[in-house]
Amino acid sequence: MSRNSRTVLGLVGVVVTMAALAWVAVPFYSWFCRVTGFAGTTQISSAAPDTVLDEVVRVRFDANVDKNLDWTFRPMQTKMEVRIGEDAMAFYEAVNNSDETITGTASYNVAPEVVGYYFDKIQCFCFTEQTLEPGERVEMPVNFYVDPELVDDRDANWVRDITLSYTFHRTEPKQAALDVAPAKNVN
């Protein structure tokens, strides 16, 4: 094999490797954020822990809407105090202000970022697409707790104020999501 052939073969190998790494980067990053709480990514849990501490955290609720989505979206409470480990529930409201059926999906994070590993959601409207008819108003619950292990983490044990923030984005509906009714219609 000539030197030029080896060079071309090496460059093709580099291109294939780079393409493969680019292909796995997004799912790997998503997995990494879910596992570590990096960038304020919250955790998912099936139930709150048995341990509830006497220490309290204040959770503030924030809501945003992408400019391409003609919805009004807001937290129904601006803040609440919960004991660490306590099962808590908050509600958000969404209203479709347009004259068309629109599907949206919420992205979320918590701040400060270091608390993402300890903020666990049990149930959340952000796990599924939300489809609203023209003028429809829904109340959407988020059931969560703050993991008691927070107090043992020297990098996060100082946190007593948490902001849970959602941004709704317009999405194209998937058929499976249309078969699920996660939100409560209050019209």
Side-chain angles (χ1 to χ4, degrees):
M1 183 183 282
S2 73
R3 182 176 177 184
N4 287 342
S5 296
R6 284 194 304 264
T7 301
V8 168
L9 188 58
L11 289 174
V12 167
V14 167
V15 168
V16 168
T17 301
M18 295 302 288
L21 289 173
W23 183 71
V24 300
V26 171
F28 178 76
Y29 181 75
S30 177
W31 169 83
F32 176 79
C33 289
R34 282 191 316 272
V35 169
T36 65
F38 183 74
T41 302
T42 64
Q43 305 302 302
I44 298 171
S45 180
S46 58
D50 293 330
T51 304
V52 177
L53 306 179
D54 286 331
E55 294 188 52
V56 172
V57 293
R58 284 166 298 284
V59 181
R60 289 178 173 74
F61 301 95
D62 178 54
N64 305 283
V65 179
D66 184 277
K67 64 182 178 179
N68 297 321
L69 184 62
D70 190 14
W71 285 9
T72 301
F73 176 57
R74 68 175 188 89
M76 296 184 73
Q77 62 288 301
T78 56
K79 62 185 171 186
M80 66 187 331
E81 291 190 358
V82 297
R83 293 184 304 159
I84 296 176
E86 178 181 18
D87 187 339
M89 184 173 287
F91 287 87
Y92 281 76
E93 174 189 60
V95 179
N96 181 350
N97 300 315
S98 76
D99 58 358
E100 63 180 310
T101 300
I102 299 177
T103 299
T105 304
S107 60
Y108 56 89
N109 67 4
V110 293
E113 290 181 6
V114 69
V115 82
Y117 185 74
Y118 300 102
F119 195 95
D120 289 72
K121 292 184 191 172
I122 299 168
Q123 176 190 3
C124 181
F125 57 88
C126 59
F127 298 155
T128 58
E129 294 176 336
Q130 304 298 320
T131 301
L132 276 64
E133 300 294 325
E136 183 177 9
R137 175 184 171 270
V138 294
E139 293 178 5
M140 301 174 291
V142 57
N143 184 218
F144 66 92
Y145 67 91
V146 177
D147 194 315
E149 291 182 12
L150 170 82
V151 300
D152 297 325
D153 184 331
R154 67 184 176 105
D155 295 325
N157 64 8
W158 56 271
V159 175
R160 292 302 177 268
D161 288 292
I162 300 169
T163 300
L164 176 59
S165 181
Y166 289 95
T167 301
F168 252 104
H169 306 274
R170 187 178 189 131
T171 56
E172 291 302 316
K174 295 181 179 89
Q175 185 59 40
L178 294 176
D179 297 335
V180 178
K184 176 184 167 194
N185 187 330
V186 292
N187 273 349

